[in-house]
Amino acid sequence: TIKGRAFPDGFLWGGAVAAHQLEGGYNEGGKGISTADIMTLGTNEQPREITDGVVPDKYYPNHQAIDFYHRYPEDIKLFAEMGFKCFRTSIAWTRIFPNGDEDEPNEAGLQFYDDLFDECLKYGIQPVVTLAHFEMPYHLVKQYGGWRNRKLIQFYLKFAKACFERYHNKVTYWMTFNEINNQTNFESDGAMLTDSGIIHQPGENRERWMYQAAHYELVASAMAVRLGHEINADFQIGCMIAMCPIYPLTAAPADVLFAQRAMQTRFYFADVHCNGYYPQWLQNRFETEHFNLDITDEDLQILQAGTVDYIGFSYYMSFTVKDTGKLVYNEEHDLVKNPYLKASDWGWQVDPIGLRYAMNWFTDRYHLPLFIVENGLGAIDEKTADNQIHDDYRIDYLTNHLRQIKLAVLEDGVDLIGYTPWGCIDLVAASTGQMSKRYGFIYVDENDDGSGSLKRYKKDSFAWYQHVITTNGAEI
Ligand code: BG6
């Protein structure tokens, strides 16, 4: 039994957010317009509109977000009260390089993160930093076509270097690209914009451009890993993968084979990050499809020399597929419902056991430490007249996942650095732009249209998580 046994000493309990989803202050301190700043409010059924720059009279939820830019001391204090050992956030690229192609970084932006990280360190909370989290400069999209363009590698490295040098004694754990593998679904406009800054024209070969953009990102990531280690040999620089294990619907061998190919497709990004080379099946596909990608010999050496130190990953759900008759995975069309699982209000299939499965899968395949940098339940919360939020469904979700994590760590021997549940304070949802899709331990009084007092309230899960951390997970 695992009850009564604690997590390993030094385990990094914390919470996770991303700059564009909570900071607001979208045009303050010299910040430029990012891809997140041109996305309107959507719903699960109605995708967020991607506008051509900031258009008057449209509502952009990320512009204000939850105003963390001005309120962070109050919020960090609450994280400290929960006992956080670490806090994962991203550095908004557009605060440091507003357009992305300037020669010099913006001092006001650098200073903001100095102040934010100092505020964390004051309480013994170490910042864990994602460099690119769905918020690249919009100028790079307009002017250069986003990551279709090899020039982006140099722009990204300039940004990475500015951050590594400035925060070299404040940050140890870094991640290069958030959920780089969302673009596996290259038919999604949202995934292509947020991962790669690509706005497609009709008739383009989207799959080819996805592989090209991702290649430049993987090269940029490998170069950043090397650069970071030169700046500080103690840096731990990881990738960040959206982990949704993909199961076969039945034991029919064709279903099992198809599920394997789906996993190979969705996780080749991790293969390149961790192994330093492309898997052979994919090289063959590049050939047979005549993608004619710009992948040079020098690139291949760079990939080999810049493998990551650990695997950061998010986990919300698992996927299921069945054979389609051709061994090519198309994420937009090939997912089927898993009859054994229930889904959240947003249709995300809840699967705690899948997390233990995923942790074992990663470990067997790459033999690297893992860091669960996102996990959680997006749900509608009700605030009562006396300002209580009884989110027992969230406590259940997290408890069930933590039990599986604990089994993976204590029984299977998985090497896990830490656990940072997503949206530890309510924030703007990435997929829909909604405030009503809440993940937090801390409730923010704000509606989808941005109205509300922005006041913070502790949910029931606040005390629950505080207790988990105090007891180092022993009672889970
Ligand atoms: C991941 C992202 O996709 O999941 C986060 O890294 C995102 O940015 C989170 O917020 C949850 O998704 P959503 O759409 O519910 O906010």
Side-chain angles (χ1 to χ4, degrees), residues 17-24 31-39 62 88-100 113 129-141 147 159 176-178 190 193-197 422 430:
V17 300
H20 66 102
Q21 290 174 261
L22 87 166
E23 284 177 6
K31 181 181 169 300
I33 299 296
S34 77
T35 49
D37 293 324
I38 56 147
M39 296 176 81
N62 301 70
R88 173 182 178 235
T89 190
S90 59
I91 294 178
W93 191 337
T94 48
R95 288 201 191 282
I96 312 302
F97 289 98
N99 283 326
Y113 292 103
V129 171
T130 321
L131 287 171
H133 192 134
F134 304 170
E135 55 201 350
M136 62 186 285
Y138 182 57
H139 176 74
L140 297 182
V141 175
W147 282 94
F159 166 54
T176 55
F177 287 90
N178 185 65
L193 180 73
T194 52
D195 267 350
S196 290
W422 176 253

Side-chain angles (χ1 to χ4, degrees), residues 110-364:
L110 287 168
Q111 188 60 47
F112 170 72
Y113 292 103
D114 259 326
D115 296 344
L116 172 61
F117 297 160
D118 287 346
E119 193 68 21
C120 293
L121 292 165
K122 178 170 119 185
Y123 298 104
I125 299 174
Q126 62 163 300
V128 170
V129 171
T130 321
L131 287 171
H133 192 134
F134 304 170
E135 55 201 350
M136 62 186 285
Y138 182 57
H139 176 74
L140 297 182
V141 175
K142 282 297 268 186
Q143 197 67 28
Y144 300 89
W147 282 94
R148 301 167 189 261
N149 193 326
R150 184 178 275 275
K151 287 197 180 126
L152 268 279
I153 298 174
Q154 291 314 322
F155 296 143
Y156 175 88
L157 280 175
K158 214 168 32 165
F159 166 54
K161 184 163 183 267
C163 297
F164 288 155
E165 285 180 342
R166 180 75 169 222
Y167 311 116
H168 70 97
N169 57 359
K170 295 184 183 175
V171 178
T172 301
Y173 288 96
W174 301 85
M175 278 163 274
T176 55
F177 287 90
N178 185 65
E179 293 194 338
I180 191 171
N181 61 327
N182 285 353
Q183 54 195 324
T184 304
N185 185 356
F186 49 80
E187 291 193 17
S188 155
D189 288 343
M192 290 314 299
L193 180 73
T194 52
D195 267 350
S196 290
I198 289 184
I199 296 176
H200 277 295
Q201 302 305 316
E204 283 189 306
N205 186 335
R206 285 174 164 250
E207 186 182 13
R208 183 210 177 258
W209 279 114
M210 182 276 284
Y211 282 120
Q212 184 64 71
H215 173 70
Y216 294 146
E217 287 155 16
L218 290 163
V219 170
S221 172
M223 291 175 84
V225 169
R226 285 188 65 184
L227 178 70
H229 288 156
E230 278 164 23
I231 292 170
N232 184 340
D234 293 334
F235 277 177
Q236 296 293 307
I237 308 175
C239 55
M240 201 302 204
I241 302 291
M243 169 42 94
C244 311
I246 308 175
Y247 305 143
L249 182 63
T250 75
D255 283 353
V256 176
L257 183 68
F258 190 81
Q260 181 186 52
R261 178 51 46 93
M263 290 283 277
Q264 287 173 316
T265 309
R266 192 174 167 86
F267 301 108
Y268 92 84
F269 305 83
D271 292 348
V272 180
H273 273 308
C274 302
N275 299 334
Y277 55 88
Y278 281 89
Q280 190 59 50
W281 75 269
L282 187 56
Q283 295 183 44
N284 292 1
R285 179 159 170 77
F286 290 166
E287 286 288 313
T288 53
E289 291 296 313
H290 305 293
F291 280 155
N292 200 13
L293 299 174
D294 172 30
I295 300 180
T296 66
D297 288 344
E298 196 194 344
D299 291 347
L300 297 178
Q301 285 165 18
I302 289 169
L303 293 177
Q304 192 80 74
T307 54
V308 292
D309 298 317
Y310 70 95
I311 300 168
F313 72 96
S314 61
Y315 182 84
Y316 295 92
M317 61 191 141
S318 58
F319 289 162
T320 305
V321 291
K322 65 180 174 29
D323 180 35
T324 60
K326 52 178 172 30
L327 207 49
V328 180
Y329 173 60
N330 180 316
E331 197 156 284
E332 180 72 11
H333 302 294
D334 293 346
L335 300 181
V336 298
K337 213 169 151 304
N338 185 327
Y340 301 100
L341 298 177
K342 292 209 176 72
S344 77
D345 289 343
W346 276 261
W348 292 15
Q349 295 184 129
V350 177
D351 178 13
I353 290 176
L355 178 49
R356 183 180 185 182
Y357 172 87
M359 292 170 76
N360 277 276
W361 186 87
F362 271 137
T363 300
D364 286 352

Side-chain angles (χ1 to χ4, degrees), residues 36-52:
D37 293 324
I38 56 147
M39 296 176 81
T40 65
L41 173 65
T43 63
N44 229 11
E45 296 70 39
Q46 179 68 42
R48 304 178 73 175
E49 189 188 343
I50 297 164
T51 58
D52 186 8

